[in-house]
Amino acid sequence: MSLSAVLAGLVAVVVSYSGPLVIVLAAASAGHLDKAQTGSWVWAISIGSGLTCIALSLRTRMPVITAWSTPGAALLVTSLGAYSYAEAIGAFVVTGVVITLVGLTGVFGRLMRLVPAAVVSAMLAGILFSFGTGVFTSLKTAPWIAGAVLLAYLLGKRWLARYAVLIALAAGVVASAATSGLDVRLDGMELARPVLTAPDFSVASLIGIAVPMILATLASQNAPGMAVLTASGYEPKDRLLIGSTGLASTALAPFGSHAINLAAITAAICTGPEAHRDPRRRYVAGVACGAFYLLVGAFGTTLVVFFAGLPKELVAAIAGVALFGALAGGLTGAVKDDRTREAALVTFLTTASGVTLFGIGSAFWGLLFGVAVHLILTPRRTEA
């Protein structure tokens, strides 16, 4: 066990429930789901993420961080209301099955291994760029909170490097309380009650939900998730990781889970040096993250209210300083080889831009454009 690794897992969970979950709740509202169905959805994605985090981290001895598909949830905000809930469940089941097959066959991994290492590092840096700048943009709206986090982090790095993020978190909470920024309250603790819904398979929901969900989850979530682990020096086994998350998605789909996948942003919190100086001990962060997921998931939407009460500037600042090490590593890996520097630059700029095309996020397009530039600029080998 390591306090810094456990804290990294906690920060990853705080970031997940303070940001991406809001999109899930918005999708549930757009789809006119009742309280029981919404609670079951939160339970399913939380339990699925928690179990896969723990099992895969222990199995691989890597900090494998999983989460629910954020672009998939964003897709549902505009599409879920057009179908019955049972049809949506059917589309979720098909999504899980297809992703499982893509993972187990090894097709996804073979494609990822063709990408130059510099492009992968640049994509990681591009994903984390907005979180790094978020520390400083928060200074405008909440200078005392963001300032306290940043100053405490720097002082912690100077004297107690392993606990710099913990010191920053404590300082941020104190500053939030002092400025009346905290609005956390729990009216009561209530265990989640999963709701089993029989799937209804329709051509319309498969085309309108399953197809874009599969593409968005693989391209915008699993590809960056694999890249984060690779850029951090690990050798992820794509068949195990993608296949396992696909199986979890399929099993929990009847309870509302739209898709479980590898995480990218929260993964970087747990795979970087802030989690632990020794990469071999960072897997504890993955186990801790999974345990916190299970804790929150057990209480459904009850604990979500707690995380929603944290000031957004506090969450942004803590996430930013926790990702400094990973961002620095990504930038270093992107520019160290001059032969791939321009391709890496295109990848970084595309990913950092946040552009979304055809419902697929910027991380995928950064990867695609970077590989294209690399192929254009790299001369073909000619045989003598």
Side-chain angles (χ1 to χ4, degrees):
M1 293 297 291
S2 168
L3 180 59
S4 60
V6 172
L7 177 65
L10 175 60
V11 172
V13 168
V14 170
V15 171
S16 293
Y17 285 106
S18 300
L21 188 69
V22 175
I23 302 175
V24 172
L25 298 178
S29 177
H32 308 293
L33 271 60
D34 58 33
K35 184 178 179 181
Q37 292 169 332
T38 302
S40 181
W41 190 353
V42 174
W43 174 86
I45 58 178
S46 300
I47 297 301
S49 300
L51 292 177
T52 48
C53 273
I54 294 173
L56 293 174
S57 294
L58 290 174
R59 174 70 177 81
T60 64
R61 285 300 191 266
M62 296 186 298
V64 179
I65 307 301
T66 59
W68 50 91
S69 174
T70 301
L75 163 73
L76 294 173
V77 172
T78 57
S79 62
L80 188 58
Y83 310 96
S84 69
Y85 184 57
E87 285 180 310
I89 294 296
F92 296 167
V93 171
V94 172
T95 297
V97 171
V98 172
I99 291 177
T100 301
L101 293 176
V102 170
L104 293 178
T105 55
V107 173
F108 188 79
R110 285 195 291 271
L111 293 175
M112 286 297 298
R113 283 189 286 272
L114 297 175
V115 180
V119 171
V120 172
S121 295
M123 182 178 69
L124 171 61
I127 292 170
L128 304 182
F129 178 74
S130 63
F131 287 84
T133 58
V135 178
F136 302 97
T137 55
S138 297
L139 289 170
K140 180 179 179 180
T141 54
W144 290 106
I145 296 175
V149 169
L150 181 58
L151 179 60
Y153 173 78
L154 294 175
L155 293 176
K157 286 291 288 185
R158 174 65 177 82
W159 285 291
L160 294 169
R162 284 189 62 185
Y163 307 106
V165 177
L166 175 60
I167 295 170
L169 176 60
V173 171
V174 171
S176 299
T179 57
S180 302
L182 285 177
D183 185 27
V184 292
R185 54 178 178 268
L186 292 175
D187 297 328
M189 301 294 286
E190 182 180 350
L191 289 173
R193 298 177 182 177
V195 176
L196 179 64
T197 302
D200 182 11
F201 302 99
S202 69
V203 175
S205 66
L206 295 183
I207 296 175
I209 295 179
V211 172
M213 181 83 72
I214 292 166
L215 295 175
T217 300
L218 287 173
S220 299
Q221 295 280 174
N222 283 323
M226 290 282 289
V228 168
L229 287 168
T230 302
S232 299
Y234 297 101
E235 297 179 0
K237 298 178 180 179
D238 56 282
R239 294 190 181 189
L240 174 63
L241 302 187
I242 308 299
S244 296
T245 54
L247 286 173
S249 297
T250 306
L252 291 167
F255 298 98
S257 172
H258 60 293
I260 303 296
N261 46 243
L262 297 178
I265 296 166
T266 49
I269 296 174
C270 299
T271 58
E274 304 297 342
H276 201 283
R277 288 173 295 181
D278 185 354
R280 296 172 298 177
R281 295 186 61 187
R282 293 174 192 165
Y283 78 93
V284 174
V287 177
C289 181
F292 288 123
Y293 270 139
L294 294 179
L295 176 62
V296 178
F299 293 96
T301 56
T302 303
L303 286 181
V304 172
V305 178
F306 173 82
F307 291 107
L310 296 174
K312 64 179 184 298
E313 293 86 359
L314 173 61
V315 176
I318 289 298
V321 297
L323 290 167
F324 275 177
L327 176 55
L331 290 171
T332 301
V335 301
K336 66 181 180 181
D337 188 345
D338 58 0
R339 293 174 299 177
T340 54
R341 194 167 292 162
E342 288 182 292
L345 177 62
V346 170
T347 300
F348 171 75
L349 293 175
T350 305
T351 306
S353 71
V355 63
T356 299
L357 301 173
F358 310 109
I360 299 177
S362 61
F364 172 76
W365 296 114
L367 200 66
L368 186 64
F369 293 164
V371 171
V373 171
H374 175 71
L375 292 176
I376 292 171
L377 298 182
T378 302
R380 295 182 179 179
R381 294 181 179 178
T382 57
E383 294 183 1

